[in-house]
Amino acid sequence: MNHFGHVIGCELRRRALRGSAAGRAVGLAWYGLALCAAAGATNIITSYSVRTWQTDDGLPQNSVYSIAQTGGGYLWVGTGEGLARFDGMQFTGLGEKAPPELQHGLITALCTDRDGSLWIGCDGYGVVHFKDGVYTRFSEADSLVSNHIRCLLLGADGTLWIGSEGGLTRYKEERFKNFAEKDNLAANSVRGLCEDQEGNLRIATLRGLNILDKAGIIHTFNIRLGTRANALKFVCADRQGRIWTGANEGINCVEGQTIRTYGMSDGLPDAIVLTAHEDRKGQLWIGTTHGVARMVQGRFVPWQKREGAFGDQVYTFFEDREGNLWAGGQDGLYCLDPARFTAYTTRDGLARNNVMSVCEDTGGTVWIGTWEGGLSRLKDNRITEVGTIPGLKDGKVLGLCEGRDGCLWVGLDHAGGVVRLKDNSQTQFVRSSGPFEGAVRVIREDRAGALWFGTSRGMSVFQAGRFHAYTTADGLAGNDIWALCEEPSGAMWIGTGGGLSRWEGGKFSRVVEAGAPGTSWVNALYLDSDDALWVGTRGAGLYRRKDGKWTAYTSRQGLFSDEIYEIVEDDYGCFWMTCRKGVFMLSRKQLDDLDKGQTRALACTVFGRADGLPSVQCNGVAKPAGWKGHDGRLWFPTIMGVVAAEPGIKSNEQPPPVVIEDVIADGVPLQPAAGSGTNSPSLKVPPGRGRLEVHYTALSYQAPERNRFKYRLEGVDPGWVDAGTRRVASYENIAPGQYRFRVAACNNDGVWNEAGAALALEFAPHFWQTLWFKVLLGVAAGLVLVLLYRLRVARLQAIERLRVQIAANLHDDVGARLTKVGMLSELVDRETVETNPNKPHIRNIFRTVREITRAMDEIVWTINPQNDTLDHLANYIFQYAQEYFQDTGVSCRLDLPPNLPDRPVSTEARHNLFMALKEALNNTLKHAKATEVRVGLDVADGYVTINISDNGRGFEVRSAAGKGSGLQNMSDRLKQIGGRLSLESEPGAGTRIRMEVACG
């Protein structure tokens, strides 16, 4: 339905003059018209927040001619130099797969099909159907009447209508049918299309309006035949059934057979009207060559240009699924949202922007107290300064309060005192005439008519014609008073810098109930309809007192700020609170659900500049720091003016579509950046280093910068990862295997799409990470182990053979020679007489040979591997013990089990165990003076135990420690083979030695 005859020539000239300055205007507000009289209240100015995108924001070119939204939720923007996809944060080009004409050509029209695919009209290239990443072109070669496309329309029955410079084309059931002047079309140049309430097609041409009825017959409806008013640029239908067309002489309204033309005298900014669109609220938006206007309640309201929010020429309007209104113009892409906040600043008549307090009286006048700008009055949408008294005119105004008699009490800063305004009289009470020594921050008149003045130096109460001053000495929690709140019973709650106080029964008391704010700085008090007291603190969060029970809510539970300046409740069950970071809203139901355990965290709606706030920093120095007007609007003071909030504006309740746009593994994109995104249910990642990036987005456009995300890679993340507003998830060193990536998102009002988007990922392994490689590696390792085992066995067998050979050689060779020496020395000893002086030497030689032979026997027994059994060990030990005590006068008794198990004993174990036993027997014979020795062997639970006991004289075990090295040597030998030694002895009771070592 867009007009292009006027702009195509301009576009061609603009291409020749590329390089026009591109700028950006984000967050401007249109205070455009609509005077909606609210009963008993100030006239409301409907405001819109406006965001602008231009080439420096990624737009291919500043001139935007067409806008559409596809099924997945993406916006598509057609410009003078190509088509771009938009997710609210960034523009994405089409990529190399797209035809060059779509990347750089003049995109004149866009239209979404029923299946969510996109139809694209390109000047000189025809029509392109984009579906599932595939571009299909239709041109004159396919029976299209002309390649110069001007407009597209999808009919209610799914028929695609195409307007071009060659006429009208219908595309239905994959067939084209053309209509031209020969078919009664007024002109072949078709500039706009729409369907009326009867289902007829309305066709705007350069020579009048045509109607194609359901029977296929074309009728002509002329708008002032022969004039410029008949050279139509667009056509649209509203909900009332009226048809609107635009030309060079204004906008025409066709209602039945009646035609009415509106021009500049009716409020249009220019007579050349390029486009029009009726939004969901019934407002008709009109784009001209010199700005925008809209029709509200039958009147045209021109755009109030504030700091150049809009360029002159506006070519198209589009309303997305969330109700956001988009406009395309000569200077960029615009998004208009009904602003929740209307700001009043010095531009509107305030003396100063730093507003300290605001209230509305019963007559509907809004009173505004400013810092160093005095008091202002907002009435009938006009701001005027009030007062002639010094301090009231240009001073520092703090507290405001309407008296029961209709007067206005105004509290001023230090030395200013209080001013009373009644009708045209102004009375000032200063320090000399009353106890106003400090800054008067809060004023309240109670039910009994007493006036309470909260100052920075205590409380002053005017009652029965007298002032009464109160401080901490009278029970106040602090002298700096910040808030007052009266109960129906007449009791007064007082918020101070030192905590919460209560006035009841003629005295003050500090609130020390369990769970109360304690000594926290109390900055705001509010009593709701259920008589629950709400307390806002400066740093300790929000408190609720209900039926004597206190409940605290802080940022740990999701509260936006622990610093609360004011609490105001709207008509919809929501609390609005202010702080230095902005205004935030929280429903009472959320707080109740948190108390009941039905939710784990609070979800606050936060408002900032994008919502119309001139500054996020609110003021909380004086009261009221927030006010609910008679019309339901909420007023808040900020450092950049006073703002009025519209609580009735519907929240964004649509869960945002979530899209996984790109997957990048080891720096390599696995999906193209353009197209319909990564919609595959699964994706195989080639072998790599396990680095992964997943880019995702949420297609909610009201405040896309406030969309929040959480994601989880199942198999890696134990739970959801809160990503905030970040739109990428990164991972390192992901092992081969199958995973599932999930992402969920919420919109600017905290509505979550929990289903979100999901993508199955399969990380392919390197060949050395595959199962077959691991099995093969395991088999190879097994073979190596078998080979090593066999080599070790062979080596051990070789060592055993060597040991056997050495033992045999020692026994057969050295042993035989020692035996011969012994026999010879014994023979010489017998033949030598006793008187021979060599006789002792000969006998010494004989004994030495016998000892060497015995030692040789022990060595042969030790190194012979055939003796590495328990049976050989036992036999050798018992044989040695019996021979050792032979002819010594000591009886040796042996205790040997009837059957010994066949278990191996290592050479080292045999050697150390035998040497320890030998040491024990030697000590017994040498020191015990025993007549009997018992040597026993036992096998149980895998241990071999040798017990040696005697009936000798015994000794003190402790006194024996450190004397000699025999006992220590025995213990060390057993430790070397993993055994242990125990000793028991007492004087006169003999000695018992126990040697224990693991066996086989």
Side-chain angles (χ1 to χ4, degrees):
M1 296 185 295
N2 300 333
H3 162 66
F4 290 99
H6 174 81
V7 301
I8 287 179
C10 297
E11 178 59 36
L12 294 175
R13 289 192 297 272
R14 187 178 294 108
R15 290 188 177 193
L17 300 172
R18 294 177 186 268
S20 61
R24 186 182 185 188
V26 179
L28 303 178
W30 174 26
Y31 296 90
L33 153 290
L35 301 177
C36 303
T42 337
N43 290 332
I44 300 173
I45 301 177
T46 303
S47 62
Y48 276 77
S49 62
V50 181
R51 289 168 287 160
T52 305
W53 291 268
Q54 296 180 325
T55 53
D56 54 350
D57 303 300
L59 195 65
Q61 201 249 6
N62 276 345
S63 296
V64 175
Y65 299 116
S66 52
I67 308 168
Q69 187 174 26
T70 49
Y74 280 110
L75 281 183
W76 296 83
V77 182
T79 74
E81 293 186 10
L83 179 66
R85 190 188 73 191
F86 188 47
D87 68 350
M89 295 297 291
Q90 65 178 4
F91 294 91
T92 304
L94 300 184
E96 297 178 354
K97 293 183 179 180
E101 288 78 5
L102 298 187
Q103 299 181 48
H104 309 292
L106 172 60
I107 308 301
T108 55
L110 295 171
C111 177
T112 305
D113 209 329
R114 286 177 170 181
D115 58 5
S117 59
L118 183 67
W119 290 94
I120 307 164
C122 183
D123 185 51
Y125 189 67
V127 176
V128 177
H129 188 209
F130 179 54
K131 182 178 181 180
D132 298 331
V134 178
Y135 298 90
T136 304
R137 180 194 176 197
F138 300 95
S139 64
E140 294 174 0
D142 303 291
S143 300
L144 194 64
V145 68
S146 173
N147 286 338
H148 297 277
I149 309 302
R150 296 292 173 260
C151 52
L152 296 172
L153 173 70
L154 188 73
D157 62 352
T159 299
L160 179 68
W161 296 94
I162 306 167
S164 67
E165 287 299 319
L168 175 69
T169 301
R170 182 184 69 190
Y171 181 71
K172 187 175 183 179
E173 297 176 352
E174 300 183 355
R175 292 185 179 182
F176 288 100
K177 182 177 180 180
N178 298 316
F179 302 86
E181 293 179 3
K182 61 182 178 63
D183 303 298
N184 292 330
L185 201 63
N188 285 337
S189 182
V190 176
R191 303 307 175 90
L193 298 168
C194 77
E195 284 187 339
D196 60 24
Q197 290 184 341
E198 288 77 28
N200 301 314
L201 182 69
R202 301 289 183 131
I203 309 160
T205 75
L206 278 183
R207 289 197 296 270
L209 179 66
N210 286 120
I211 304 173
L212 177 60
D213 62 23
K214 295 180 180 179
I217 301 173
I218 295 178
H219 310 273
T220 300
F221 191 94
N222 289 308
I223 310 291
R224 286 194 288 167
L225 183 63
T227 68
R228 292 194 305 169
N230 209 35
L232 304 182
K233 302 178 183 299
F234 72 91
V235 62
C236 72
D238 66 17
R239 297 176 187 175
Q240 301 180 39
R242 297 176 296 187
I243 304 299
W244 297 85
T245 65
N248 288 349
E249 295 183 358
I251 187 169
N252 306 298
C253 178
V254 179
E255 191 169 6
Q257 296 299 316
T258 303
I259 302 173
R260 182 176 178 182
T261 301
Y262 299 91
M264 296 179 65
S265 60
D266 300 292
L268 291 180
D270 192 83
I272 302 177
V273 180
L274 304 178
T275 186
H277 170 80
E278 185 187 36
D279 65 18
R280 298 175 190 177
K281 300 179 183 65
Q283 300 179 114
L284 185 69
W285 296 79
I286 301 103
T288 75
T289 56
H290 284 85
V292 172
R294 59 175 168 159
M295 175 175 274
V296 181
Q297 298 181 352
R299 296 177 55 190
F300 287 100
V301 182
W303 182 272
Q304 301 288 326
K305 290 187 178 180
R306 295 273 184 127
E307 302 177 2
F310 262 109
D312 284 340
Q313 300 190 31
V314 176
Y315 303 140
T316 184
F317 291 105
F318 175 77
E319 195 169 7
D320 67 22
R321 296 168 193 165
E322 293 178 308
N324 303 306
L325 185 66
W326 299 82
Q330 174 181 315
D331 297 321
L333 174 69
Y334 307 94
C335 181
L336 297 86
D337 294 314
R340 285 187 180 270
F341 294 90
T342 301
Y344 297 87
T345 66
T346 52
R347 294 179 306 182
D348 304 288
L350 281 180
R352 292 288 187 275
N353 278 334
N354 196 3
V355 178
M356 311 308 292
S357 55
V358 60
C359 73
E360 182 183 11
D361 64 23
T362 54
T365 298
V366 177
W367 299 92
I368 305 167
T370 69
W371 188 257
E372 297 183 336
L375 182 67
S376 294
R377 173 174 50 205
L378 175 61
K379 182 70 173 178
D380 296 330
N381 204 37
R382 183 174 172 224
I383 295 177
T384 56
E385 295 184 22
V386 178
T388 57
I389 297 176
L392 188 62
K393 179 176 176 57
D394 55 4
K396 302 171 182 177
V397 175
L398 295 176
L400 297 174
C401 175
E402 184 183 16
R404 296 167 65 182
D405 62 352
C407 72
L408 182 71
W409 292 94
V410 182
L412 303 177
D413 195 26
H414 293 274
V418 174
V419 177
R420 180 179 183 271
L421 278 70
K422 176 65 175 174
D423 299 327
N424 294 322
S425 65
Q426 302 175 12
T427 306
Q428 187 170 19
F429 302 87
V430 294
R431 180 175 179 180
S432 60
S433 59
F436 301 117
E437 298 182 359
V440 182
R441 298 192 181 111
V442 54
I443 307 172
R444 187 177 185 92
E445 185 175 7
D446 66 18
R447 287 171 171 78
L451 285 168
W452 297 66
F453 299 93
T455 77
S456 59
R457 298 184 181 180
M459 177 74 71
S460 293
V461 180
F462 183 75
Q463 189 175 26
R466 296 180 57 189
F467 278 101
H468 305 273
Y470 302 96
T471 64
T472 53
D474 303 290
L476 283 172
N479 284 333
D480 46 345
I481 311 300
W482 293 91
L484 295 170
C485 181
E486 186 182 10
E487 287 188 347
S489 64
M492 186 73 72
W493 295 94
I494 303 102
T496 77
L500 183 64
S501 295
R502 180 180 171 89
W503 166 272
E504 190 173 25
K507 62 179 181 180
F508 291 97
S509 61
R510 183 190 296 267
V511 178
V512 292
E513 299 169 347
T519 59
S520 298
W521 185 335
V522 175
N523 208 61
L525 296 170
Y526 172 69
L527 191 71
D528 67 18
S529 57
D530 295 331
D531 292 332
L533 179 69
W534 298 86
V535 180
T537 68
R538 192 165 292 194
L542 176 69
Y543 287 80
R544 169 162 60 173
R545 183 183 185 270
K546 177 67 174 173
D547 299 328
K549 179 184 177 182
W550 289 89
T551 307
Y553 311 91
T554 68
S555 55
R556 291 189 298 271
Q557 292 139 317
L559 195 68
F560 173 67
S561 174
D562 288 331
E563 180 184 57
I564 298 172
Y565 292 164
E566 190 60 284
I567 306 168
V568 183
E569 187 176 10
D570 64 20
D571 293 329
Y572 305 94
C574 293
F575 294 109
W576 295 64
M577 289 167 266
T578 62
C579 63
R580 73 178 62 199
K581 296 186 293 184
V583 179
F584 61 99
M585 181 182 67
L586 183 62
S587 70
R588 182 199 297 266
K589 184 178 183 302
Q590 282 197 66
L591 294 161
D592 292 340
D593 290 345
L594 184 68
D595 292 345
K596 296 174 185 176
Q598 296 177 357
T599 184
R600 295 182 179 179
L602 302 171
C604 298
T605 301
V606 183
F607 304 103
R609 290 180 179 273
D611 303 289
L613 286 177
S615 170
V616 296
Q617 183 170 341
C618 297
N619 271 324
V621 175
K623 297 296 178 186
W627 187 269
K628 178 182 174 183
H630 302 309
D631 59 356
R633 288 193 298 172
L634 308 179
W635 296 82
F636 301 105
T638 78
I639 64 171
M640 291 299 294
V642 65
V643 296
E646 300 282 356
I649 293 179
K650 192 175 181 181
S651 299
N652 186 2
E653 298 177 355
Q654 292 193 26
V658 184
V659 180
I660 298 174
E661 293 191 309
D662 292 298
V663 178
I664 302 174
D666 295 318
V668 179
L670 299 183
Q671 290 290 329
S676 57
T678 304
N679 295 321
S680 308
S682 62
L683 185 66
K684 190 168 183 178
V685 180
R689 291 173 291 176
R691 290 175 51 202
L692 177 70
E693 282 187 11
V694 182
H695 295 257
Y696 47 81
T697 190
L699 302 178
S700 176
Y701 299 96
Q702 281 196 3
E705 69 280 359
R706 296 212 297 256
N707 295 341
R708 298 182 66 251
F709 302 87
K710 58 182 179 181
Y711 63 80
R712 180 184 183 187
L713 183 59
E714 295 177 353
V716 174
D717 296 321
W720 287 96
V721 177
D722 185 359
T725 58
R726 185 163 44 91
R727 299 180 180 228
V728 60
S730 300
Y731 295 90
E732 299 282 346
N733 301 319
I734 299 178
Q738 294 184 344
Y739 303 88
R740 187 167 183 257
F741 181 81
R742 295 179 58 195
V743 57
C746 72
N747 62 22
N748 58 304
D749 282 330
V751 179
W752 282 90
N753 180 352
E754 293 289 354
L759 180 66
L761 297 167
E762 181 181 354
F763 281 77
H766 292 280
F767 72 89
W768 61 81
Q769 296 173 312
T770 59
L771 179 61
W772 64 265
F773 182 82
K774 292 178 180 179
V775 171
L776 184 62
L777 190 63
V779 171
L783 293 175
V784 171
L785 290 175
V786 169
L787 178 61
L788 292 175
Y789 174 76
R790 290 185 175 182
L791 291 174
R792 178 174 173 78
V793 169
R795 183 181 178 188
L796 291 175
Q797 289 174 346
I799 292 173
E800 286 190 0
R801 288 193 297 269
L802 179 60
R803 287 169 57 191
V804 170
Q805 184 178 357
I806 292 172
N809 291 341
L810 286 174
H811 184 272
D812 296 341
D813 188 7
V814 179
R817 295 176 186 273
L818 287 173
T819 301
K820 183 177 181 180
V821 172
M823 292 175 64
L824 291 174
S825 61
E826 185 179 9
L827 178 62
V828 172
D829 181 54
R830 284 199 302 266
E831 293 178 352
T832 304
V833 297
E834 293 293 334
T835 59
N836 191 324
N838 293 321
K839 186 75 170 180
H841 299 296
I842 295 172
R843 287 182 176 176
N844 190 25
I845 292 173
F846 176 70
R847 286 193 301 271
T848 302
V849 171
R850 286 178 59 189
E851 290 174 358
I852 294 174
T853 301
R854 187 179 296 113
M856 178 66 67
D857 182 61
E858 292 175 6
I859 293 173
V860 171
W861 175 80
T862 300
I863 67 174
N864 191 344
Q866 295 178 353
N867 296 323
D868 290 344
T869 64
L870 181 59
D871 182 62
H872 283 86
L873 173 63
N875 290 333
Y876 191 79
I877 286 175
F878 284 128
Q879 181 182 352
Y880 177 83
Q882 197 170 29
E883 292 178 354
Y884 186 78
F885 287 106
Q886 190 175 2
D887 300 329
T888 61
V890 179
S891 174
C892 181
R893 295 184 178 275
L894 305 175
D895 296 327
L896 183 66
N899 295 311
L900 286 174
D902 185 13
R903 293 187 181 179
V905 181
S906 67
T907 301
E908 183 183 11
R910 283 193 300 112
H911 174 68
N912 284 288
L913 196 57
F914 173 71
M915 295 304 291
L917 176 118
K918 184 177 179 181
E919 181 71 26
L921 296 181
N922 180 61
N923 290 337
T924 300
L925 182 62
K926 185 176 179 181
H927 303 291
K929 297 185 183 296
T931 59
E932 183 180 83
V933 176
R934 301 182 69 93
V935 179
L937 185 144
D938 187 26
V939 179
D941 299 328
Y943 283 87
V944 175
T945 304
I946 298 176
N947 296 300
I948 305 169
S949 61
D950 63 57
N951 62 354
R953 61 181 180 176
F955 61 93
E956 285 285 351
V957 176
R958 293 183 180 178
S959 62
K963 296 180 180 180
S965 57
L967 291 175
Q968 185 62 43
N969 290 339
M970 293 166 59
S971 178
D972 291 343
R973 286 186 179 277
L974 287 170
K975 287 180 180 179
Q976 290 179 19
I977 58 176
R980 55 180 177 267
L981 174 72
S982 60
L983 175 66
E984 296 178 2
S985 183
E986 294 180 5
T991 302
R992 292 163 297 282
I993 298 174
R994 181 184 178 90
M995 303 176 190
E996 192 175 57
V997 67
C999 176

